[in-house]
Amino acid sequence: MTTDLTRVYLPATLAQLAVLRESGELPPPTEVHAVTPSLREWYAEGDEEELEYVAFTRAAQGALRLLRNDDKTPRRRVVLSADLPGAQVKMHGLDLGSSLVEVSGRIALRTVAAIHVDGHDAESDVSAAVDVVERAEAGDADAQFTVDGAEDHELEWYDPSELDQLVN
């Protein structure tokens, strides 16, 4: 029997990666992004790869907000790409263009397809973006310029088997 899987993108931090390594799972997430029907309708000319990039980028922005609330973890964005059973992902009632979805239950390490992390060279730009991300979301152009500086850094790709190397 084949199970339909949905690729989701979860904002995270290096501290959360340590939890994932130790327990093999993360608590139910509060922010998750995916390619939704609403995102497809909003970005009708986008192909699948472009739509996935939009959802991924929004998750990276979510990682900035997580870092704002945790001043002890290194200032590096983390995005987990996970493949979850369709029944675990709720996609209705979305605003036009939204990539936000609801996920029920914990996120098991075995569902993680890839781990994306900023390199060390991004830390100063990410730190500056963390300080102004709320103002950028409220429409402050100068703050958005700072956030864009962090987004200029491509997140590095890691296989889930490399989790130990990322946390140490």
Side-chain angles (χ1 to χ4, degrees), residues 33-42 51 55 58 90-91 94-95 97-101:
H33 295 270
V35 175
T36 64
S38 176
L39 183 61
R40 286 182 199 286
E41 182 180 346
W42 171 75
L51 294 170
R58 289 178 179 173
K90 180 178 162 188
M91 290 195 197
L94 301 171
D95 293 332
S98 178
S99 61
L100 281 171
V101 297

Side-chain angles (χ1 to χ4, degrees), residues 42-64:
W42 171 75
Y43 194 34
E45 282 113 33
D47 63 20
E48 193 66 19
E49 188 173 319
E50 290 171 314
L51 294 170
E52 288 174 353
Y53 186 75
V54 170
F56 177 87
T57 300
R58 289 178 179 173
Q61 291 168 349
L64 290 174

Side-chain angles (χ1 to χ4, degrees), residues 135 139-146:
R135 292 195 331 244
D140 182 314
D142 291 332
Q144 186 60 53
F145 182 78
T146 301

Side-chain angles (χ1 to χ4, degrees), residues 6 8 32 34 36-37 84-94 99-104:
T6 301
V8 297
V32 181
T36 64
L84 301 179
Q88 193 176 353
V89 182
K90 180 178 162 188
M91 290 195 197
H92 58 75
L94 301 171
S99 61
L100 281 171
V101 297
E102 291 179 37
V103 171
S104 60

Side-chain angles (χ1 to χ4, degrees), residues 40-150:
R40 286 182 199 286
E41 182 180 346
W42 171 75
Y43 194 34
E45 282 113 33
D47 63 20
E48 193 66 19
E49 188 173 319
E50 290 171 314
L51 294 170
E52 288 174 353
Y53 186 75
V54 170
F56 177 87
T57 300
R58 289 178 179 173
Q61 291 168 349
L64 290 174
R65 289 186 295 277
L66 289 175
L67 288 168
R68 185 186 64 227
N69 298 323
D70 183 356
D71 59 359
K72 293 183 174 144
T73 196
R75 295 298 191 233
R76 294 166 63 196
R77 297 169 298 164
V78 175
V79 174
L80 299 174
S81 297
D83 295 320
L84 301 179
Q88 193 176 353
V89 182
K90 180 178 162 188
M91 290 195 197
H92 58 75
L94 301 171
D95 293 332
L96 183 63
S98 178
S99 61
L100 281 171
V101 297
E102 291 179 37
V103 171
S104 60
R106 296 180 169 273
I107 305 300
L109 177 57
R110 73 182 181 297
T111 67
V112 175
I115 302 168
H116 310 271
V117 181
D118 271 316
H120 291 286
D121 63 326
E123 285 187 36
S124 63
D125 288 335
V126 170
S127 184
V130 166
D131 292 338
V132 299
V133 66
E134 285 181 343
R135 292 195 331 244
E137 290 171 350
D140 182 314
D142 291 332
Q144 186 60 53
F145 182 78
T146 301
V147 170
D148 290 346

